[in-house]
Amino acid sequence: MSGGSGMGASFDPDRIGRLRGQLAKPAGGSGGNGALKLLWQRAIALTLGFTALLYTVEGVNSLTNNELDQAGVKPRSEDGLAGILFAPVLHANWGHLFGNTLPVIVLGLLTLLTGIGRGLTATAIIWVIAGVGQWFTAPPHSVSVGASVLVFGWLTYLICWGWFSRNVLQIAVGVVVAVCYGSILWGVLPSNPEISWQGHLFGAIGGVVAGWVLSGNERRHRRGTDAGRLASQG
């Protein structure tokens, strides 16, 4: 037998590669739907898991006569620095936790739906800025606890990120969030001495910072597109 010709076109490596690529592609665009479904599943699981953590911690706190609250932010003291890490998962009592639960679920979920990695990074930025701000500015001898610092940060992040990135869908989400929860932003102003308005203020600042930092790629891409458009017109 002579070599070469007997193998035929069906054994062409390029053709086989193309066929494999076609088989790997989900039919009817289901890949996008699958990714969206997975995003929702992960976001819901993380949100409910965090909420369960808050209730577990408060349960332990109740059994120990609220001793865990001493791990909150203690301003301008060395041992109070640990509170930057622990304060957002601690609450003064069950009523405090109940008041934060719905905003934590709604705003936390929406934050993660901007992308799991992006949402977790935004939360970390808010967590640190709020805690550091409380440590520097809260009244002497106070102890600050509560997930409301995250609530205020998630709120401003959701409002700002869409505008910074020019994401139309996220702008719409931000508008809805602002209408539903925007009134709580009055909490960044001094009012009740038992409420840490400093945490609310720096949480909200953290959300704006997170929105700006995490929209960097979109802003750079937009600047590059605008520069290319101007160059082509010139």
Side-chain angles (χ1 to χ4, degrees), residues 18-216:
R18 287 194 298 271
L19 289 173
R20 286 177 176 171
Q22 292 172 0
L23 291 173
K25 292 180 180 178
S30 60
N33 293 334
L36 184 60
K37 181 180 179 181
L38 183 61
L39 173 62
W40 272 90
Q41 290 173 341
R42 290 177 175 176
I44 291 172
L46 286 170
T47 303
L48 295 181
F50 181 68
T51 305
L53 172 64
L54 297 182
Y55 275 79
T56 300
V57 170
E58 186 55 29
V60 174
N61 200 24
S62 296
L63 294 175
T64 59
N65 198 27
N66 292 331
E67 288 185 5
L68 292 183
D69 287 345
Q70 294 307 307
V73 176
K74 299 175 183 177
R76 297 170 296 285
S77 66
E78 186 175 345
D79 64 334
L81 285 170
I84 295 173
L85 177 62
F86 297 116
V89 299
L90 299 169
H91 289 82
N93 49 54
W94 286 108
H96 188 197
L97 175 56
F98 293 156
N100 281 335
T101 297
L102 184 59
V104 162
I105 292 174
V106 174
L107 299 178
L109 176 62
L110 290 174
T111 295
L112 289 173
L113 288 175
T114 66
I116 299 298
R118 181 183 286 115
L120 291 176
T121 303
T123 300
I125 292 172
I126 294 163
W127 198 302
V128 171
I129 291 178
V132 171
Q134 284 180 309
W135 190 85
F136 275 109
T137 65
H141 312 298
S142 64
V143 180
S144 300
V145 296
S148 57
V149 298
L150 301 179
V151 169
F152 276 75
W154 288 333
L155 174 62
T156 55
Y157 166 74
L158 290 167
I159 293 172
C160 293
W161 185 75
W163 291 103
F164 291 151
S165 62
R166 298 298 189 270
N167 183 309
V168 175
L169 176 60
Q170 192 59 42
I171 289 174
V173 171
V175 170
V176 173
V177 166
V179 170
C180 294
Y181 286 99
S183 62
I184 72 171
L185 287 175
W186 290 109
V188 304
L189 300 176
S191 55
N192 189 334
E194 295 184 358
I195 295 176
S196 175
W197 63 269
Q198 296 92 345
H200 296 170
L201 174 61
F202 282 96
I205 291 172
V208 176
V209 171
W212 178 260
V213 169
L214 295 174
S215 63

